[in-house]
């Protein structure tokens, strides 16, 4: 039987092609749908990345790099760095402790160290749930591990109450006690350790050395209110003097510790309850000498930049190099500002003395200064003969240092008669620039509004006197707290009863030195390092969550000898404190019997010309004049040790001066 084959009907070609195209379109749509779903899923699962995370990763990378280098340094043979250094630079000198022990010097006067701002450790005693496991762990100093592990929790616990300036509810952060509180700021980064080690070589030990650690965030009087720190310092000095055969103490404050101990000397003799009740002769009985290191007696312009825009030269440069790190949402800087503006101590370093000390629109004591390639010690005859060269320099290039903040380089350089200004003090601050997304990083700029920001910029230039009004305008809550604890003027009559209030005690222009004619006062500081003196500002790009002002890093001069670099005018100093602030009190205001020094306590200036390390194996060097690194300067350590062992200022050789401090002090018209 024949089979029948059925043919499959042949579809028209155009129908088959159409079907294939439809199948392909379905596949594309299906793939697109899957990819879209996957992207949505990834978006939901991917955590939001903020600039706080960026900051934490950067800090983490820096710490890991630092620890790695430190580990490699420690595993090297102990003699290797010294061998390599000596091969390059020649034999190293003996450390001061070894040198002075060979001379036969021994421990005599007990010494008290007074650390400055941020250099002493702080530890947690009580905190919120996010700080579990951190009891008595360092939040400040040490490894700073919690900064990048839990940054927002760290900021919360390092901040003080914005109304009281004391502990926030449920948080207690307290200063670390003992010499370990400030011997090292971080592993391998010494502060007091080198000085302590050298003192130990001539017989000092813990019973003859005392670290007067305190919570450097608080106002000076509040360290007594909350922690009774001033009372403990008083008791420790009395005990050490008695236990060491009646030998008076040598006090060694550094940086802001200089202002803190100035406050202490008034507090200890003032009657209770405001003071310590030690009586008018307490300092004369218990203190041989006060050796101030890097003292910001009259404040620092750097503090103004920090309070105004949470930055200084280093932050401004970092923003210019890597703008995405700090400008992306800018919340990192806002967190820093929110935290630091609760630290009342920062207001102690606002420039004091107004335009009389720091200059006005057309004048400043440092007028005509130019950076020097090298430093030579000034003799008495040299001091009087320096007018000629500097006068020629001032004619070729002039910097208006009295203009601490200028909005625009053209304003900083213009004649004062050509600057049109609109007063900001009575300006209507206008609508708030804050919104709900910024409230977690709230600063007082959010309550100032666009009108207030515009008014600040239109005033154009600020001197030391108008700067106080500026800070009251942009940070009213902070300055309201600060005005209860600090003052920045010059006293007309020091016998006025109002100057018995503690708010004046840390301002050397509004208080008298103790009645202690045998007590010596030293001012030791570095010179030859460019130090911030004035700033060129600009309005930052409009953004709801941004700090509205920033240093204009494009403001620059190509001249190698120019003092304007990256929006910052620099003068001679130790990188943080200008010479004018460190030296004026001992060079003029306290020199001899004056209304500020009625008993005639002797004062001495000892300057140390900066010399950077010859190679990285020298670490931070033994001849540095930088603000913190000077604590390892062999010449400074030797001077401190000789005084502790009984030497007087005259036996050290009197003044040692490399800068123009005596010339600049003559330009300050201050009634003595």
């Amino acid at each position: 039987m024949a089979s029948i084959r059925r043919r499959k009907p042949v579809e028209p070609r155009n129908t088959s092609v159409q079907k294939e195209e439809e199948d392909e379109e379905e596949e594309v749509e299906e793939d697109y749908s899957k990819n879209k779903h996957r992207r949505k899923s990834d978006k939901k699962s991917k955590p939001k990345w903020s600039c706080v995370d960026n900051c934490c990763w950067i800090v983490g990378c820096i710490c890991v790099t630092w620890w790695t280098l430190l580990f490699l340094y420690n595993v090297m043979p102990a003699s290797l760095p010294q061998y390599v250094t000596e091969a390059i630079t020649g034999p190293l000198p003996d450390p001061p402790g070894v040198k002075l022990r060979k001379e036969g010097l021994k421990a005599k006067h007990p010494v008290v160290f007074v650390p400055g701002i941020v250099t002493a450790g702080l530890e947690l005693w009580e905190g919120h749930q996010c700080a579990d496991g951190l009891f008595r762990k360092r939040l400040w100093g040490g490894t700073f591990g919690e900064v990048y592990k839990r940054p927002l929790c760290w900021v919360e616990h390092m901040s003080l109450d914005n109304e009281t300036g004391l502990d926030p509810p449920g948080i207690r952060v307290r200063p670390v006690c003992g010499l370990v509180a400030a011997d090292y700021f971080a592993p391998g980064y010494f502060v007091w350790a080198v000085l302590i080690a050298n003192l130990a070589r001539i017989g000092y030990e813990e019973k003859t050395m005392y670290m007067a650690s305190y919570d450097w965030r608080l106002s000076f009087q509040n360290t007594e209110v909350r922690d009774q720190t001033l009372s403990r310092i008083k008791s420790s000095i009395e005990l050490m003097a008695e236990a060491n055969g009646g030998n008076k103490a040598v006090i060694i404050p550094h940086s802001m510790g200089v202002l803190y101990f100035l406050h202490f000397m008034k507090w200890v003799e003032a009657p209770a309850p405001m003071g310590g009740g030690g009586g008018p002769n307490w300092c004369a009985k218990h203190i041989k000498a006060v050796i101030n290191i890097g003292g910001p007696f009259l404040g620092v312009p750097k503090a103004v930049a920090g309070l105004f825009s949470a930055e200084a030269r280093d932050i401004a440069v970092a923003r210019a190099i890597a703008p995405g790190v700090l400008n992306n949402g800018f919340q990192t800087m806002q967190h820093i500002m929110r935290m630091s503006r609760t630290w009342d101590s920062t207001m102690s370093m606002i420039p004091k003395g107004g335009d009389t000390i720091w200059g006005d629109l057309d004048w400043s004591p440092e007028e005509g200064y130019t950076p020097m390639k090298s430093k030579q010690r000034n003799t008495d005859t040299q001091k009087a003969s320096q007018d000629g060269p500097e006068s020629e320099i001032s004619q070729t290039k002039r910097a208006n240092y009295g203009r601490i903040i200028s909005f625009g380089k053209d304003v900083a350089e213009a004649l004062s008669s050509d600057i049109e200004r609109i007063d900001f003090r009575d300006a209507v601050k206008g609508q708030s620039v804050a919104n709900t997304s910024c409230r977690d990083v709230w600063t007082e700029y959010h309550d100032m509004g666009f009108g207030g920001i515009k008014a600040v910029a239109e005033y154009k230039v600020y001197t030391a006197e108008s700067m106080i009004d500026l800070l009251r305008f942009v940070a009213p809550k902070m300055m309201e707290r600060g005005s209860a604890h600090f003052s920045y003027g010059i006293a007309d009559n020091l016998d006025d009863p109002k100057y018995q209030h503690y708010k004046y005690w840390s301002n050397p222009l509004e208080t008298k030195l103790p009645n202690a004619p045998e007590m010596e006062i030293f001012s030791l500081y570095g010179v030859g390092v460019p130090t911030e003196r004035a700033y060129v500002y600009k309005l930052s790009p409009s953004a709801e969550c941004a700090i509205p002002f920033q240093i204009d890093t494009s403001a620059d001069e190509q001249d190698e000898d120019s003092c304007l670099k990256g929006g910052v005018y620099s003068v001679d100093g130790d990188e943080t404190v200008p010479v004018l602030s460190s030296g004026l009190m001992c060079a003029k205001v306290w020199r001899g019997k004056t209304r500020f020094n009625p008993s005639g306590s002797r004062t001495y200036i000892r300057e140390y010309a900066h010399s950077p390390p010859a190679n990285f194996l020298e670490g931070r060097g033994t001849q540095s004049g930088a603000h913190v690194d000077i604590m390892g300067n062999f010449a400074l350590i030797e001077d401190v040790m000789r005084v502790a062992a009984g030497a007087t200022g005259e036996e050290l050789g009197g003044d040692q001066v490399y800068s123009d401090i005596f010339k600049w002090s003559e330009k300050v018209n201050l009634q003595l």
Side-chain angles (χ1 to χ4, degrees), residues 366-437:
E366 306 103 321
E367 191 174 44
Y369 165 77
T370 189
M372 302 292 289
K373 300 294 183 185
S374 62
K375 292 285 178 181
Q376 293 182 346
R377 180 171 175 175
N378 287 341
T379 63
D380 291 337
T381 56
Q382 285 176 321
K383 293 171 193 172
S385 64
Q386 291 172 348
D387 293 340
E390 194 175 271
S391 298
E392 293 177 8
I393 292 168
S394 65
Q395 291 175 7
T396 59
K397 196 68 179 176
R398 176 179 177 180
N400 298 304
Y401 295 116
R403 306 179 188 185
I404 295 180
I405 284 182
S406 303
F407 277 88
K409 181 184 173 186
D410 55 337
V411 174
E413 297 175 347
L415 296 174
S416 60
S417 58
D418 295 338
I419 302 175
E420 297 181 1
R421 306 161 78 190
I422 301 175
D423 201 339
F424 66 93
R425 295 173 180 86
D426 297 323
V428 177
K429 293 189 175 182
Q431 185 179 1
S432 175
V433 299
N435 61 26
T436 55
S437 66

Side-chain angles (χ1 to χ4, degrees), residues 369 375 525-532 570-580 582 608 610 625-627 659 664:
Y369 165 77
K375 292 285 178 181
Y525 55 89
V527 295
V529 189
T531 303
E532 297 172 44
S570 299
V571 292
D572 198 3
D574 68 0
E575 197 172 37
T576 297
V577 186
V579 165
L580 186 69
S582 295
Y608 304 87
H610 176 69
H627 188 63
S659 73
W664 294 341

Side-chain angles (χ1 to χ4, degrees), residues 304-322:
V304 171
L307 293 171
F308 185 55
S309 60
E311 62 181 342
R313 174 169 49 197
D314 44 4
I315 298 296
V317 170
R319 182 192 292 110
I321 294 173

Side-chain angles (χ1 to χ4, degrees), residues 351-578:
K352 304 173 178 68
D355 296 355
T356 300
I357 302 296
W358 296 94
D360 55 24
L361 296 180
D362 300 310
W363 168 86
S364 67
E366 306 103 321
E367 191 174 44
Y369 165 77
T370 189
M372 302 292 289
K373 300 294 183 185
S374 62
K375 292 285 178 181
Q376 293 182 346
R377 180 171 175 175
N378 287 341
T379 63
D380 291 337
T381 56
Q382 285 176 321
K383 293 171 193 172
S385 64
Q386 291 172 348
D387 293 340
E390 194 175 271
S391 298
E392 293 177 8
I393 292 168
S394 65
Q395 291 175 7
T396 59
K397 196 68 179 176
R398 176 179 177 180
N400 298 304
Y401 295 116
R403 306 179 188 185
I404 295 180
I405 284 182
S406 303
F407 277 88
K409 181 184 173 186
D410 55 337
V411 174
E413 297 175 347
L415 296 174
S416 60
S417 58
D418 295 338
I419 302 175
E420 297 181 1
R421 306 161 78 190
I422 301 175
D423 201 339
F424 66 93
R425 295 173 180 86
D426 297 323
V428 177
K429 293 189 175 182
Q431 185 179 1
S432 175
V433 299
N435 61 26
T436 55
S437 66
C438 300
R439 280 297 165 179
D440 60 331
V441 287
W442 173 89
T443 69
E444 291 184 84
Y445 280 126
H446 292 123
D447 291 338
M448 197 167 78
F450 292 111
I453 292 170
K454 183 180 178 183
V456 168
E458 288 180 344
Y459 195 68
K460 296 184 178 179
V461 60
Y462 296 85
T463 64
E465 288 184 2
S466 55
M467 183 61 60
I468 305 298
D469 293 331
L470 171 65
L471 292 175
R472 290 192 180 114
F473 187 78
V474 302
K477 288 187 178 180
M478 178 189 75
M479 291 300 288
E480 183 180 359
R481 293 195 320 271
S483 62
H485 292 275
F486 304 106
S487 181
Y488 312 103
I490 300 175
D492 293 325
N493 178 15
L494 287 166
D495 294 323
D496 190 322
K498 78 174 185 178
Y499 292 112
Q500 296 174 8
H501 192 275
Y502 60 76
K503 68 180 286 185
Y504 301 101
W505 291 349
S506 61
N507 181 356
L509 300 175
E510 293 182 306
T511 190
K512 299 178 184 178
L513 286 177
N515 182 25
E518 295 182 1
M519 181 180 73
E520 295 183 318
I521 298 178
F522 296 83
S523 185
L524 280 53
Y525 55 89
V527 295
V529 189
T531 303
E532 297 172 44
R533 178 64 166 83
Y535 303 90
V536 177
Y537 266 83
K538 66 178 181 180
L539 284 172
S540 61
S542 178
E544 290 180 333
C545 290
I547 297 173
F549 311 109
Q550 61 184 232
I551 295 173
D552 185 1
T553 54
S554 66
D556 214 337
E557 292 286 357
Q558 301 302 319
D559 185 1
E560 184 181 355
D561 292 332
S562 172
C563 298
L564 176 61
K565 302 290 183 184
V568 179
Y569 283 98
S570 299
V571 292
D572 198 3
D574 68 0
E575 197 172 37
T576 297
V577 186

Side-chain angles (χ1 to χ4, degrees), residues 241 246-249 269 278 280-288 515-516:
N247 288 320
K248 301 176 184 179
E269 295 190 344
N281 297 317
W282 191 94
C283 291
K285 182 179 178 182
H286 294 94
I287 300 176
K288 174 196 185 294
N515 182 25

Side-chain angles (χ1 to χ4, degrees), residues 173-417:
V173 175
R174 296 294 181 264
V176 177
C177 296
L179 296 178
V180 296
D183 54 353
Y184 288 91
F185 175 67
Y189 191 91
F190 69 82
V191 182
W192 294 91
V194 178
L195 177 57
I196 292 170
N198 279 279
L199 284 166
R201 290 180 183 271
I202 63 169
Y204 279 92
E205 50 190 286
E206 197 139 15
K207 68 180 181 181
T208 50
M209 293 189 288
Y210 172 67
M211 183 69 71
S213 182
Y214 59 99
D215 190 337
W216 44 261
R217 301 172 302 161
L218 299 173
S219 69
F220 301 157
Q221 191 69 9
N222 273 346
T223 64
E224 174 65 16
V225 170
R226 196 193 72 179
D227 301 334
Q228 292 76 54
T229 304
L230 298 174
S231 294
R232 286 187 287 148
I233 294 174
K234 175 177 180 284
S235 300
S236 297
I237 293 175
E238 291 171 344
L239 177 62
M240 292 171 73
E242 183 179 352
N244 284 274
N247 288 320
K248 301 176 184 179
V250 171
I251 316 298
I252 312 171
H254 172 244
S255 190
M256 191 187 75
V258 168
L259 302 178
Y260 186 69
F261 195 75
L262 192 63
H263 180 99
F264 170 84
M265 287 194 294
K266 295 300 294 184
W267 172 87
V268 73
E269 295 190 344
M274 187 181 296
N281 297 317
W282 191 94
C283 291
K285 182 179 178 182
H286 294 94
I287 300 176
K288 174 196 185 294
V290 182
I291 306 176
N292 302 289
I293 302 176
F297 288 105
L298 302 173
V300 288
K302 196 172 185 177
V304 171
L307 293 171
F308 185 55
S309 60
E311 62 181 342
R313 174 169 49 197
D314 44 4
I315 298 296
V317 170
R319 182 192 292 110
I321 294 173
V325 175
L326 296 178
N327 289 345
N328 184 17
F330 214 62
Q331 295 191 0
T332 303
M333 299 307 298
Q334 290 223 34
H335 280 295
I336 292 172
M337 175 175 280
R338 184 186 70 172
M339 177 177 68
S340 61
R341 280 193 176 182
T342 67
W343 299 347
D344 289 351
S345 62
T346 57
M347 289 178 278
S348 71
M349 293 186 290
I350 294 174
K352 304 173 178 68
D355 296 355
T356 300
I357 302 296
W358 296 94
D360 55 24
L361 296 180
D362 300 310
W363 168 86
S364 67
E366 306 103 321
E367 191 174 44
Y369 165 77
T370 189
M372 302 292 289
K373 300 294 183 185
S374 62
K375 292 285 178 181
Q376 293 182 346
R377 180 171 175 175
N378 287 341
T379 63
D380 291 337
T381 56
Q382 285 176 321
K383 293 171 193 172
S385 64
Q386 291 172 348
D387 293 340
E390 194 175 271
S391 298
E392 293 177 8
I393 292 168
S394 65
Q395 291 175 7
T396 59
K397 196 68 179 176
R398 176 179 177 180
N400 298 304
Y401 295 116
R403 306 179 188 185
I404 295 180
I405 284 182
S406 303
F407 277 88
K409 181 184 173 186
D410 55 337
V411 174
E413 297 175 347
L415 296 174
S416 60
S417 58

